[in-house]
Amino acid sequence: YHNIDAVNVSIDFYDEIDLTINATGNYSLECNWPDLPTDANNHLIKAARQVLEGTGLGVSMCLTKRIPVGAGLGGGTSDAATLIRYLGRVLKVGERNLMPKALAVGSDVPYSLVGGPARVRGRGELVEPMTGVSPLRLVILNPGGGHKTQSVYARMAPSHIRAHPPVEPFIDAWKRGDLVNLG
């Protein structure tokens, strides 16, 4: 894992999950995106197992993907976080107990469990919501050709070797409304 120090934001772009909780203990997933794995490697199945473990319950899900797979937009992780939050509410599991389950699914799932603008550190488990920042208007372009998060990080030099640009100037510029100096 890489140590990160990043600013994440939520966008108004989402997938849809239809689900039925069952008493069979089985997990199933159907998806409109034919190349997406629907087995135990999928974040939704991992998330359901994390929350429902030991309950005897299972879940059948139908995922309608709108967020492109492999585009770096966190579609799979935000789907997993949404499912964790929902199942936690149904089972009356406190948010504090959901965070380790989110991290067990993937390093970027804890951020998606919190959402909004936040500073994210460590391997993704340290999420600090940001206040005092105004909404940003961004254009997101997807040139196609998806990339798996794991393969992107595998190509990066470890954090103790490469210099990481400081995050504080970005956060300070954003809080001041200085959009020119955000980049």
Side-chain angles (χ1 to χ4, degrees), residues 34-97:
D35 296 332
L36 191 78
T38 56
D39 59 10
N41 294 312
N42 187 285
H43 276 10
L44 282 172
I45 298 291
K46 291 177 187 178
R49 284 201 166 126
Q50 281 294 316
V51 179
L52 297 176
E53 181 180 37
T55 66
L57 299 173
V59 65
S60 300
M61 298 171 282
C62 183
L63 174 64
T64 303
K65 287 292 296 169
R66 291 193 179 86
I67 301 172
V69 174
L73 296 175
T77 56
S78 65
D79 293 344
T82 298
L83 181 63
I84 289 169
R85 191 179 311 108
Y86 174 76
L87 292 174
R89 213 175 286 142
V90 168
L91 298 174
K92 296 179 177 37
V93 177
E95 192 169 320
R96 174 178 286 200
N97 295 324

Side-chain angles (χ1 to χ4, degrees), residues 109-173:
V109 179
Y111 161 73
S112 293
L113 198 59
V114 175
R119 187 172 185 177
V120 181
R121 296 191 236 195
R123 64 174 256 217
E125 76 279 14
L126 305 172
V127 181
E128 304 166 34
M130 292 173 47
T131 59
V133 293
S134 58
L136 294 174
R137 295 186 186 273
L138 303 171
V139 174
I140 298 172
L141 301 173
N142 179 12
H147 301 278
K148 293 186 178 216
T149 303
Q150 185 177 5
S151 67
V152 171
Y153 275 109
R155 293 189 302 259
M156 293 177 68
S159 54
H160 68 278
I161 295 174
R162 66 179 160 77
H164 189 287
V167 173
E168 286 84 3
F170 174 87
I171 294 171
D172 291 342

